[in-house]
């Protein structure tokens, strides 16, 4: 006998109330919680959902015809599943992101994009949707008669979204329920007519609302990775201003690691990390750590390499609950972090971490998650590192040298970094090096494959000259030692703390045609990477939206060096090059959202547009400021940024405050047009 209308309404209300208040039981382990949230099930019966409207923030699902049923994790109701036909709608109300929303939606999805009074509207038909929530009531079930099971449709939906390259949803849901049960967290997966759409309202950590599309990329599949990758179409702040990044809930403040490397691919790693609370009392920490790495062998075949997390332990040596999967690590602390009191965790790791590109005689543990690391805005750590590598390999590690010794069959190097950094790296191989100490700074140049005394002298002299130039207005070099390390490749440089990776043409700039091609502009690239020791390490970018504080400021500092040490004609040539490149990306995105530019299956275009914004338009914004302020006030502006934000994060809001104070003028409108907007700064 069908239920009465009033009993159906009461049941719907009871379902919502139970969902909001149902706690995770104390007897349940963290692994059991994650497992339960992994194995979701749809109820055996469903209801007619025709005409149902489901809303969250700026997103609406309108069901034309179909059915809906509760979704459970064990006995706990955590969501709803809709199968049928309908319309997915999302509105971007933030004008700053509208250019990049239009570009990415066109290049990565089949969504219709239209302008309306409320903003930019993205719409697409959908056939199924999984709605998960915490800290917010579920949409009420319609008061309709019960119907059949949606288990088959639910299984197909889960399979379709089960291969998305992002943190497992179970981890996000568990953290939301454990750490912030009163804060809204809503995730909706919708199968569009042409796309897999992911909507997220995150009031727990990011305080943002986003719409993304998940799709396979041909270049990734060619490397053996068939997962679907997420492209952000829209991401808008909730309850905050985009111009002030959300503060991190916790920081990684110290890393003490011991690495023992074999003469093959395997390594053993012990890392003790200290975490401190900042804006909350988190009980669950999210970290990135490889669990598997796809590497190419010498025949071009993709071979998966395993990394094993043997255990996580507290200061007393007691095991700490954790889940490590898909290169994501969630750790549940015994007690939530309390402000003013750090918590130490020890991680024991082993596996095939070491990779020799092209079969060369070196390996690099770079800026990827080879040891447990939080997101970039949570990295603020000092370092003590001990690295042992099998002879004849020689280790090179950032930091002040404590000892470099031989220990049986191993070469051992111990270093310390006393200032907070990000992006710690280790490299080892058949390296020879020469070093020079002057005025308290040791510069070390390491060549690959054998000694290169001509390069040693040239690069020691060049780097010291550049450091002396920057120190004149950016302050003293921030580290006691600086390593310049040859990478056996062409055409790039990279600047971890107290380190520079630079490719072969810097060591042999006139040898061979390939070297001659890539040695064009090597001095500017060398200057750019040295400038990163100030822009990127002393003053840090707090989020991807603020990458210009690292790249654009380093690029313009390098241009000033080129102007003053090589001549104005080279400087003018750089300005002309920047303007040509910047014009290619002028309508795609503002500088602030350069890292969101992506064209599906066109990695080259995506990269070129991003670099045009960060390495060309961003420096042009600074050049326009330079012309308006004049030489001395502009250098005072850069120096004041370095002194006021020393070893701190440097959001553009603070950059603007310093600029206003130095210039005694409000530069908010200037930055709105040229940094947050897509207008080009005026030419001279």
């Amino acid at each position: 006998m069908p239920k009465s209308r009033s009993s159906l309404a009461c049941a719907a209300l009871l379902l919502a109330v139970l969902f909001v208040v149902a706690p995770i039981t104390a007897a349940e382990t963290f692994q059991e919680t994650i497992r339960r949230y992994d194995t979701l099930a749809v109820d055996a019966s469903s209801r007619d959902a025709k005409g149902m409207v489901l809303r969250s923030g700026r997103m609406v699902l309108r069901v034309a015809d179909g059915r809906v049923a509760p979704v459970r994790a064990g006995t706990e109701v955590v969501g709803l599943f809709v199968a049928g036909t309908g319309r997915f709608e999302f509105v971007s109300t933030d004008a700053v992101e509208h250019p990049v929303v239009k570009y990415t939606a066109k290049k990565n999805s089949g969504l219709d994009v239209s302008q309306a009074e409320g903003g930019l509207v993205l719409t697409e038909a959908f056939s199924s949707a999984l709605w998960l929530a915490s800290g917010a009531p579920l949409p009420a079930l319609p008061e309709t008669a019960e119907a059949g099971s949606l288990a088959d449709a639910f299984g197909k939906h889960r399979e379709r979204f089960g291969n998305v390259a992002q943190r497992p949803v179970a981890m996000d849901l568990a953290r939301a329920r454990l750490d912030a049960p009163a804060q809204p967290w809503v995730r909706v997966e919708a199968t569009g007519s042409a796309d897999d759409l992911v909507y997220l309202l995150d009031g727990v950590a990011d305080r943002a609302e986003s719409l993304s599309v998940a799709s396979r990329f041909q270049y990734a599949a060619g490397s053996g990775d068939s997962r679907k990758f997420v492209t952000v179409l829209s991401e808008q702040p909730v309850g905050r201003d985009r111009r002030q990044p959300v503060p991190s809930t916790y920081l990684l403040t110290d890393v003490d690691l011991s690495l023992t490397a074999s003469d093959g691919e395997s390594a053993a790693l012990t890392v003790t990390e200290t975490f401190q609370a900042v804006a909350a009392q988190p009980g669950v920490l999210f970290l990135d750590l490889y669990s598997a790495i796809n590497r190419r062998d010498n025949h071009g075949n993709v071979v998966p390499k395993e990394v094993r997390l043997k255990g996580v332990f507290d200061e007393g040596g007691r095991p700490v609950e954790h889940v490590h999967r898909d290169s994501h690590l969630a750790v549940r602390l015994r007690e939530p972090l309390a402000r003013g009191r750090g918590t130490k965790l020890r991680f024991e790791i082993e596996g095939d971490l070491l990779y020799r590109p092209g079969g060369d005689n070196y390996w690099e543990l770079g800026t990827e998650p080879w040891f447990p690391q939080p997101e970039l805005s949570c990295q603020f750590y000092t370092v003590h590192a001990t690295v042992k590598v099998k002879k004849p390999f020689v280790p090179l590690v950032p930091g002040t040298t404590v000892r470099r010794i031989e220990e049986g069959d191993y070469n051992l190097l111990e270093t310390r970094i006393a200032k907070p950094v990000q992006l710690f790296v280790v490299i080892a191989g058949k390296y020879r090096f020469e070093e020079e100490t002057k005025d308290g700074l040791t510069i070390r140049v390491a060549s690959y494959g054998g000694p290169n005394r001509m390069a040693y002298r040239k690069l020691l002299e060049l780097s010291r000259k550049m450091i002396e130039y920057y120190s004149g207005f950016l302050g003293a070099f921030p580290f006691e030692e600086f390593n310049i390390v040859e990478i056996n490749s062409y055409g790039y440089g990279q600047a971890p703390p107290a380190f520079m990776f630079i490719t072969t043409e810097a060591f042999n700039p006139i040898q061979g045609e390939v070297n001659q091609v890539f040695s064009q502009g090597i001095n500017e690239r060398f200057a750019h990477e040295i400038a990163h020791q100030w822009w990127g390490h002393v003053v840090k970018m707090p989020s991807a939206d603020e990458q210009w504080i690292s790249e654009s400021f380093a690029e313009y500092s390098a241009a000033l060096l080129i102007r003053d040490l090589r001549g104005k004609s080279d400087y003018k040539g750089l300005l002309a090059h920047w303007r040509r490149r910047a014009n290619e990306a002028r309508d795609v995105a503002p500088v602030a959202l350069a890292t969101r530019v992506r064209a599906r299956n066109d990695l080259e275009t995506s990269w070129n547009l991003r670099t045009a914004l960060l390495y060309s338009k961003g420096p042009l914004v600074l050049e326009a400021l330079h012309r308006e302020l004049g030489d001395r006030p502009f250098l005072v502006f850069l120096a004041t940024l370095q002194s006021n934000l020393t070893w701190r994060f440097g959001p553009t809001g603070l950059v603007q405050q310093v600029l206003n104070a130095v210039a005694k003028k409000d530069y908010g409108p200037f930055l709105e047009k040229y940094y947050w907007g897509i207008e080009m700064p005026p030419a001279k």
Side-chain angles (χ1 to χ4, degrees), residues 562-575:
I562 295 297
R563 181 197 67 177
D564 292 343
L565 298 188
R566 288 183 60 91
K568 290 185 178 180
S569 61
D570 284 8
Y571 173 75
K572 290 178 180 178
L574 272 176
L575 297 185

Side-chain angles (χ1 to χ4, degrees), residues 441-621:
L441 171 62
T442 298
I443 300 177
R444 184 176 299 109
V445 180
S447 58
Y448 170 70
N452 187 339
R453 302 201 179 282
M454 183 179 296
Y456 297 156
R457 300 318 308 163
K458 180 194 71 172
L459 296 180
L460 283 168
E461 180 182 352
L462 180 62
S463 59
R464 196 168 293 279
K465 183 180 295 185
M466 290 180 173
I467 287 170
E468 289 174 355
Y469 175 84
Y470 289 140
S471 298
F473 60 95
L474 297 180
F477 190 74
F479 302 101
E480 295 177 349
E481 298 184 17
F482 183 51
N483 293 277
I484 301 168
V485 182
E486 180 182 7
I487 297 296
N488 192 29
S489 184
Y490 291 94
Y492 76 89
Q494 192 179 39
F499 231 71
M500 180 200 297
F501 292 130
I502 196 77
T503 44
T504 296
E505 66 273 19
F507 286 75
N508 299 287
I510 59 173
Q511 178 184 348
E513 292 183 7
V514 174
N515 281 49
Q516 291 176 36
V517 170
F518 283 105
S519 63
Q520 306 280 330
I522 185 62
N523 285 337
E524 194 275 338
R525 192 183 325 140
F526 203 80
H528 175 100
E529 302 306 335
I530 290 180
H532 270 313
Q533 302 305 315
W534 286 271
W535 304 113
H537 297 306
V538 176
V539 180
K540 308 173 192 303
M541 63 178 186
S543 70
D545 284 6
E546 306 284 355
Q547 197 167 358
W548 88 309
I549 198 70
S550 176
E551 299 300 348
S552 301
F553 278 76
E555 184 73 356
Y556 194 65
S557 296
L560 293 177
L561 183 148
I562 295 297
R563 181 197 67 177
D564 292 343
L565 298 188
R566 288 183 60 91
K568 290 185 178 180
S569 61
D570 284 8
Y571 173 75
K572 290 178 180 178
L574 272 176
L575 297 185
H577 170 73
W578 289 343
R579 194 159 292 275
R580 286 194 301 271
R581 292 293 314 281
N583 276 320
E584 296 171 6
R586 62 179 302 164
D587 297 325
V588 172
V591 175
L593 302 182
T595 56
R596 275 177 44 184
V597 176
R598 181 179 288 179
R600 182 189 294 178
N601 295 326
D602 192 346
L603 187 62
E604 182 177 0
T605 295
S606 304
W607 179 260
N608 287 341
L609 291 172
R610 171 190 169 274
T611 55
L613 291 165
L614 288 173
Y615 296 78
S616 295
K617 185 182 176 185
L620 285 177
V621 173

Side-chain angles (χ1 to χ4, degrees), residues 204-225:
V204 175
D206 292 337
R207 289 169 54 194
E209 185 178 17
S210 64
L211 175 65
S212 303
V213 59
S215 52
R216 288 184 174 87
F217 287 177
Q218 291 175 358
Y219 60 82
S223 297
D225 194 338

Side-chain angles (χ1 to χ4, degrees), residues 36 80 118 145 192 198 209 244 255 260 266 284 289-290 353 363 378 433 456 461 472 547 594 605 630:
R36 183 162 58 84
L80 298 176
V198 178
E209 185 178 17
Q244 292 295 337
V255 172
T260 301
S266 63
V284 177
L289 173 66
Y290 276 143
L353 283 164
W363 49 258
C378 299
F433 63 83
Y456 297 156
E461 180 182 352
Q547 197 167 358
T605 295

Side-chain angles (χ1 to χ4, degrees), residues 48-102:
D48 187 350
K50 184 175 182 178
M52 188 178 182
V53 178
L54 302 87
R55 299 179 183 274
S56 173
R58 301 172 176 93
M59 186 272 297
V60 182
L61 287 179
R62 303 182 189 277
V63 184
D65 192 17
R67 291 180 291 156
V68 60
V71 173
R72 299 178 187 269
T75 59
E76 178 189 8
V77 176
V78 295
L80 298 176
F81 178 67
V82 180
T85 60
R87 200 76 181 163
F88 179 99
E89 299 176 8
F90 181 87
V91 181
S92 169
T93 59
D94 184 358
V96 170
E97 71 163 2
H98 285 178
V100 74
V101 170
K102 293 176 183 176

Side-chain angles (χ1 to χ4, degrees), residues 241-436:
D241 192 318
R242 179 186 292 280
R243 292 150 187 80
Q244 292 295 337
V246 62
S248 301
T249 55
Y250 59 89
L251 294 175
L252 170 58
T253 58
D254 184 70
V255 172
D256 190 339
L257 66 83
S258 177
L259 172 72
T260 301
S262 72
D263 54 3
E265 297 181 335
S266 63
L269 178 63
T270 297
V271 189
T272 299
E273 300 188 347
T274 302
F275 298 90
Q276 293 189 351
V278 177
Q281 293 187 329
V284 177
L285 304 182
F286 280 168
L287 306 169
D288 294 324
L289 173 66
Y290 276 143
S291 53
I293 315 169
N294 285 336
R295 303 292 199 194
R296 288 193 181 275
D297 63 19
N298 293 337
H299 304 289
N301 301 313
V302 176
V303 180
K305 302 294 183 180
E306 182 183 5
V307 178
R308 296 173 295 281
L309 177 59
K310 297 166 60 180
V312 182
F313 307 91
D314 66 12
E315 288 185 79
R318 297 174 299 177
V320 177
E321 287 192 286
H322 64 278
V323 175
H324 182 215
R325 194 172 79 224
D326 302 333
S327 295
H328 295 281
L329 172 61
V331 178
R332 187 179 186 185
L333 303 173
R334 291 180 177 273
E335 296 179 357
L337 285 178
R339 294 190 66 178
R341 187 177 76 245
T343 294
K344 289 188 177 183
L345 298 175
R346 188 179 84 250
F347 303 86
E348 299 286 348
I349 302 158
E350 65 180 15
D352 295 331
L353 283 164
L354 311 178
Y355 171 63
R356 303 187 185 187
D360 283 347
N361 284 313
Y362 74 89
W363 49 258
E364 175 190 342
L365 295 174
T367 57
E368 72 272 16
W370 55 274
F371 69 95
Q373 301 175 54
E375 62 184 23
L376 193 63
S377 62
C378 299
Q379 295 183 32
F380 196 77
Y381 53 84
T382 54
V383 187
H384 172 242
T386 304
V387 178
K388 291 171 59 176
V389 301
K390 272 288 187 73
K391 296 176 180 177
F393 276 24
V394 173
L396 295 161
V397 183
T400 301
T401 300
V402 177
R403 56 183 176 141
R404 182 185 286 276
I405 62 172
E406 295 182 20
E407 194 175 85
D409 292 335
Y410 290 88
N411 286 318
L412 182 149
L413 174 61
E414 181 182 359
T415 67
R416 290 186 185 274
I417 300 179
K419 299 296 185 181
V421 297
Q422 305 163 311
L423 307 172
F424 185 76
V425 301
V426 171
I427 192 169
K430 288 189 175 179
Y431 279 101
R432 301 287 293 273
F433 63 83
E434 186 172 305
E435 61 184 45
E436 176 187 80

Side-chain angles (χ1 to χ4, degrees), residues 33-43 70-81 130-133 151 154-155 157-158 169-170 173 185 187 189:
T33 300
I34 297 293
R35 192 178 306 118
R36 183 162 58 84
Y37 287 150
D38 268 331
T39 54
L40 301 178
V42 68
D43 273 9
V71 173
R72 299 178 187 269
T75 59
E76 178 189 8
V77 176
V78 295
L80 298 176
F81 178 67
L130 172 59
W131 187 296
L132 301 173
F154 184 72
H157 181 98
R158 292 284 283 167
V169 178
L173 183 53
W185 180 90
R187 177 187 169 95
E189 301 169 350

